[in-house]
């Protein structure tokens, strides 16, 4: 079992990573956090976390710069690899089922998304193997699970289901391709080297924000509130609270029984039902006007993670806390939320 001590969190200033850092500090861990620019104000929230002044050290690091990662990981017994480039517009389009121009150049996607995800993961794992790291928790995505057209329609999608890389490429789902390639690389590396690696695959992450900038997954929910979209696909969406993701990451790090990959998803809901729920809570809003029905009855299962001891918040609580966070950050007009 990975003991308490010094751990590293890559991409520490991001949405999920910030909550993870907060949780780790509250549990008595000393945290090394990697960020891109030590002087960037968007990371200022990290320094305000409880116990940050004495137990959080930030390192400037780049996923493609092995030496910078090695410096941050040196002396740590655990690593949470959270950092990954996120293509905002593409992620919003996939999550909302809206149309956009997906004719990006493959070369551009290779450089901006796929290479940092895959090569960056390889660099992190190599640094872990060559130092004192005992366990690595890699944050993947349900995007590494869901994109599988050959999975039997009457079967629940569990950890045995992997997204088809060729299908991801054909449909230009670059984020899903990057996550699938990086996660599979991580587990292959673990098998080859005997390094302890556990992967966690969160679904669409919502909940309150700690950082000052709005992240892609939060924007999905904000757009449902404010954009007055003409139409949304009424297809199953899988949601999880960011705080529950942080709990899952710590659980899979600390629990000696944790092994392989874990799907991390709390709620399965169709957009029409989500909007109806939101309207009851916040009626004066610019919600989507119509929904197009799509056949999609497959479910995503977090049974393996729950058997490990994971639990999650009610969806209503997540929505309330999300809205409060958006209000506090000024990204939603308070006057419309009466």
């Amino acid at each position: 079992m990975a003991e308490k001590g010094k751990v590293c969190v890559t991409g520490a200033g991001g949405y999920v990573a910030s909550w993870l850092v907060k949780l780790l500090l509250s549990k008595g861990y000393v945290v090394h956090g990697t960020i891109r620019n030590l002087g960037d104000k968007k990371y200022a929230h990290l320094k305000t976390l409880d116990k940050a002044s004495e137990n959080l050290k930030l390192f400037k690091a780049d996923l493609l710069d092995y030496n910078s990662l090695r410096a941050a990981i040196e002396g740590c017994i655990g690593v949470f690899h959270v950092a990954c480039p996120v293509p905002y517009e593409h992620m919003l389009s996939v999550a909302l089922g809206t149309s956009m121009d997906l004719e990006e150049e493959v070369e551009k996607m290779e450089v901006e998304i796929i290479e940092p995800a895959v090569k960056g993961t390889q660099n992190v794992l190599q640094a872990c193997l060559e130092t004192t790291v005992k366990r690595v928790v890699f944050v993947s995505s349900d995007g590494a699970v869901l994109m599988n057209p050959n999975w039997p329609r009457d079967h629940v999608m569990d950890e045995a289901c992997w997204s088809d890389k060729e299908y991801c490429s054909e449909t230009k789902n670059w984020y899903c391709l990057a996550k699938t390639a990086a996660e599979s690389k991580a587990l292959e590396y673990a098998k080859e080297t005997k390094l302890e690696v556990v992967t966690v695959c969160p679904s669409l992450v919502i909940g309150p924000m700690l950082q000052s900038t709005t992240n892609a997954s939060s924007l999905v929910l904000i757009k449902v509130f404010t954009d007055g979209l003409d139409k949304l696909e009424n297809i199953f969406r899988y949601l999880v609270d960011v705080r529950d993701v942080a709990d899952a990451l710590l659980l899979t790090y600390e629990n000696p029984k944790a092994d392989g990959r874990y799907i991390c998803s709390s709620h399965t809901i169709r957009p029409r039902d989500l909007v109806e729920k939101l309207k009851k809570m916040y009626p004066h809003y610019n919600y989507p006007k119509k929904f197009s029905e799509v056949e999609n009855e497959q479910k995503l299962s977090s049974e393996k993670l729950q058997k490990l001891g994971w639990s999650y918040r009610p969806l209503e609580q997540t929505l309330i806390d999300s809205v409060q966070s958006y209000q506090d950050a000024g990204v939603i007009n308070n006057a419309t939320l009466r």
Side-chain angles (χ1 to χ4, degrees):
M1 176 177 146
E3 64 203 46
K4 280 196 179 181
K6 191 178 295 183
V7 296
C8 179
V9 177
T10 66
Y15 181 42
V16 171
S18 292
W19 277 103
L20 175 60
V21 170
K22 178 181 173 70
L23 178 62
L24 289 167
L25 291 173
S26 74
K27 299 295 185 180
Y29 285 90
V30 174
V31 181
H32 284 189
T34 74
I35 57 178
R36 291 184 179 181
N37 185 347
L38 292 175
D40 197 322
K41 293 181 180 178
K42 71 179 181 180
Y43 303 126
H45 64 283
L46 294 173
K47 297 178 181 179
T48 68
L49 298 175
D50 285 347
K51 301 182 182 178
S53 59
E54 60 265 36
N55 287 338
L56 174 63
K57 183 177 181 180
L58 299 178
F59 293 76
K60 180 180 180 180
D62 186 283
L63 289 176
L64 297 179
D65 181 351
Y66 174 78
N67 290 332
S68 67
L69 290 171
R70 170 73 184 253
I73 292 170
E74 191 76 51
C76 294
I77 60 170
V79 169
F80 297 85
H81 181 33
V82 191
C84 184
V86 178
Y88 271 47
E89 290 301 321
H90 175 66
M91 188 171 180
L92 288 173
S93 174
V94 171
L96 293 170
T98 54
S99 61
M100 67 168 284
D101 181 12
L102 292 177
E103 295 301 321
E104 301 105 331
E105 297 177 10
V106 175
E107 292 82 2
K108 180 181 179 183
M109 294 300 104
E110 284 278 358
V111 171
E112 295 185 2
I113 301 172
I114 299 172
E115 184 182 2
V118 179
K119 179 63 176 176
T121 296
Q122 184 175 324
N123 283 339
V124 168
L125 294 176
Q126 183 180 340
C128 291
L129 188 65
E130 295 178 355
T131 55
T132 54
V133 171
K134 295 182 178 180
R135 173 168 285 194
V136 181
V137 178
F138 171 79
V139 180
S140 183
S141 164
D142 68 351
V145 178
L146 296 172
M147 303 298 293
N148 187 337
N150 299 316
W151 190 257
R153 301 299 298 176
D154 58 344
H155 282 46
V156 171
M157 287 182 159
D158 58 17
E159 285 77 11
C161 184
W162 282 86
S163 291
D164 185 294
K165 295 177 189 176
E166 187 174 333
Y167 180 69
C168 290
S169 183
E170 289 173 356
T171 55
K172 304 187 189 305
N173 278 285
W174 307 118
Y175 179 73
C176 296
L177 176 58
K179 279 297 190 182
T180 305
E183 186 188 357
S184 59
K185 171 70 73 175
L187 291 175
E188 288 168 10
Y189 192 91
K191 188 175 181 179
E192 293 169 0
T193 63
K194 307 303 180 184
L195 178 68
E196 278 191 38
V197 178
V198 179
T199 66
V200 178
C201 305
S203 55
L204 184 69
V205 184
I206 59 174
M209 301 184 301
L210 289 175
Q211 78 284 9
S212 59
T213 55
T214 308
N215 57 292
S217 59
S218 294
L219 277 174
V220 173
L221 187 56
I222 290 168
K223 282 182 172 291
V224 168
F225 273 111
T226 62
D227 271 20
L229 300 168
D230 288 333
K231 184 181 289 187
L232 273 184
E233 286 185 345
N234 200 35
I235 193 171
F236 277 143
R237 300 299 178 193
Y238 312 101
L239 309 175
V240 65
D241 191 296
V242 64
R243 296 162 294 186
D244 295 332
V245 175
D247 288 342
L249 297 177
L250 183 56
L251 174 65
T252 54
Y253 174 73
E254 290 186 336
N255 194 316
K257 296 180 180 178
D259 180 66
R261 69 197 308 231
Y262 291 86
I263 292 170
C264 181
S265 185
S266 309
H267 307 285
T268 301
I269 191 168
R270 295 184 186 276
R272 185 196 298 275
D273 297 329
L274 177 62
V275 167
E276 287 305 312
K277 186 182 291 288
L278 291 170
K279 279 183 177 179
K280 291 178 182 179
M281 299 163 66
Y282 307 102
H284 306 296
Y285 236 139
N286 193 18
Y287 293 105
K289 300 173 177 62
K290 297 179 182 178
F291 300 88
S292 58
E293 298 304 324
V294 179
E295 287 189 18
N296 175 39
E297 296 302 326
Q298 284 182 295
K299 297 288 184 70
L300 197 63
S301 172
S302 292
E303 183 179 352
K304 182 184 177 186
L305 185 59
Q306 290 179 61
K307 285 182 177 178
L308 196 67
W310 182 69
S311 59
Y312 52 84
R313 291 165 174 76
L315 178 57
E316 290 76 10
Q317 188 61 56
T318 297
L319 295 174
I320 290 169
D321 293 347
S322 297
V323 170
Q324 185 62 56
S325 170
Y326 304 155
Q327 287 179 310
D328 294 344
V331 296
I332 278 184
N333 186 346
N334 292 357
T336 64
L337 285 169
R338 292 195 297 257

